[in-house]
Amino acid sequence: FPLLLGLLFAAACATVLLRSAPPPLVAAWFGALLLLTALRLWQTRRFLADAQRRVRAAHWERAYLMRMRPYGLGWGTLLLLAGRELDGFASSFVIVGLLGVASVGVYTVQGVFRVAALWMASIAVPVAAWCLWQAGLDGAILACGTALFGAAMLNEARRSGRQHAELLRLRLHNAAIADDHARALALAEQRRRAKTRFLATVSHEMRPQLNGIMGISELLRAGSAAAQV
């Protein structure tokens, strides 16, 4: 879903850039981003179709990083390809939009900090470089603001990642406790059934002998009484 939303925003950026950037360059950028989005969607479908994806987690993480790098750079190079010809509205729209895309990406992959850092750097660094390229105090302020925004987002991603790891640890710990409790209950039930079977078997085996002993005792008691009479 974030990929599809990103594609819609890329179309909006391309429309805005057509006002000042060369159309062939804009079309090439949008086509490249469309291809990268298609590759990532294809990778997602392969991941979901892989029944062994939990076992092959390291492989899929490497594959994800391989697709993430060019995809992030595709977004980050948007301003650099546009050059210095962007007007105030276009540059503001693209900068705010790119930082929004970076924020959504960091939020999506916050569980893995290095992926979040790679994603943020691939967008924030080109944006800051473009702002410095504009020269002047405004460009420097925008570059500093972009750097501070990226640092704040990465700090939040690290904090959220730690919280996510702690919650996952607690969840696994609780699951282990629940499993131990279930095994203890199963063992107690098994022992109860074994005890019941043992008592039933012993009772069944001893009943004839006890009945015989009781019968003989009754006969001996009756014989003793008769002899006394």
Side-chain angles (χ1 to χ4, degrees):
F1 184 69
L3 289 175
L4 297 178
L5 287 182
L7 198 59
L8 292 176
F9 178 71
C13 288
T15 303
V16 171
L17 290 178
L18 286 175
R19 296 166 39 174
S20 53
L25 193 61
V26 175
W29 173 82
F30 184 74
L33 198 65
L34 181 63
L35 177 61
L36 292 171
T37 302
L39 288 175
R40 292 196 61 198
L41 289 173
W42 174 72
Q43 182 189 44
T44 301
R45 290 179 61 88
R46 287 187 58 204
F47 172 76
L48 295 176
D50 186 2
Q52 302 295 324
R53 59 179 179 268
R54 295 183 182 273
V55 180
R56 305 175 61 209
H59 162 75
W60 284 114
E61 185 177 353
R62 288 193 300 269
Y64 186 83
L65 286 172
M66 288 178 60
R67 298 291 192 281
M68 177 68 78
R69 291 189 184 99
Y71 183 72
L73 290 176
W75 279 106
T77 55
L78 174 60
L79 284 171
L80 299 179
L81 292 177
R84 295 187 177 184
E85 304 301 326
L86 293 179
D87 55 28
F89 168 77
S91 60
S92 300
F93 178 85
V94 174
I95 289 175
V96 172
L98 286 177
L99 295 181
V101 169
S103 302
V104 173
V106 169
Y107 175 78
T108 304
V109 298
Q110 62 181 348
V112 185
F113 177 75
R114 61 173 181 165
V115 179
L118 175 65
W119 172 253
M120 176 57 70
S122 64
I123 296 180
V125 171
V127 169
W130 183 84
C131 292
L132 290 176
W133 187 27
Q134 300 304 303
L137 181 60
D138 292 343
I141 292 175
L142 286 174
C144 291
T146 300
L148 291 175
F149 175 80
M153 289 299 301
L154 290 181
N155 180 67
E156 183 66 21
R158 183 183 293 277
R159 187 182 66 84
S160 299
R162 289 175 179 173
Q163 290 180 349
H164 178 76
E166 180 64 17
L167 290 175
L168 184 59
R169 187 189 66 80
L170 292 175
R171 178 181 176 184
L172 294 176
H173 181 67
N174 291 336
I177 292 175
D179 289 342
D180 291 340
H181 182 66
R183 283 194 295 267
L185 288 177
L187 182 60
E189 180 65 19
Q190 183 180 2
R191 289 178 177 176
R192 186 191 66 80
R193 288 197 298 265
K195 180 181 178 180
T196 302
R197 286 195 302 268
F198 172 76
L199 293 176
T201 301
V202 170
S203 175
H204 175 75
E205 296 295 333
M206 293 182 65
R207 189 179 296 114
Q209 287 79 4
L210 291 175
N211 289 335
I213 293 172
M214 292 176 64
I216 294 173
S217 299
E218 291 294 332
L219 290 175
L220 290 174
R221 184 183 300 172
S224 175
Q228 289 177 0
V229 172

